[in-house]
Amino acid sequence: MLEESQHYCPYCAEPITLLVDTSEGDQEYIEDCEVCCRPINVSLQVHAQGFSLYLAHENET
């Protein structure tokens, strides 16, 4: 299931919209910011109540 989620870029702090696929379960991937084009590490956790996203700089672990 595709879900739309509003967040802020960890680089430029501008609001961004992410489209996440919760049908695949927990995931980690890189998505470029739609404003500043820098790579964002996205960590998706899917749970019974919905999902949680954590966004971080590319080199953050």
Side-chain angles (χ1 to χ4, degrees):
M1 173 179 237
L2 293 177
E3 300 277 346
E4 196 172 274
S5 185
Q6 302 289 323
H7 290 276
Y8 292 93
C9 173
Y11 294 102
C12 67
E14 291 293 323
I16 57 173
T17 301
L18 298 175
L19 191 60
V20 294
D21 184 358
T22 58
S23 67
E24 295 295 318
D26 294 351
Q27 305 171 46
E28 289 189 23
Y29 58 94
I30 294 177
E31 186 161 328
D32 291 340
C33 173
E34 59 193 39
V35 178
C36 70
C37 300
R38 296 187 68 186
I40 302 169
N41 281 336
V42 179
S43 179
L44 169 67
Q45 288 86 39
V46 179
H47 40 82
Q49 296 80 17
F51 64 93
S52 300
L53 279 180
Y54 175 71
L55 279 55
H57 292 187
E58 179 184 30
N59 297 323
E60 237 178 87
T61 56

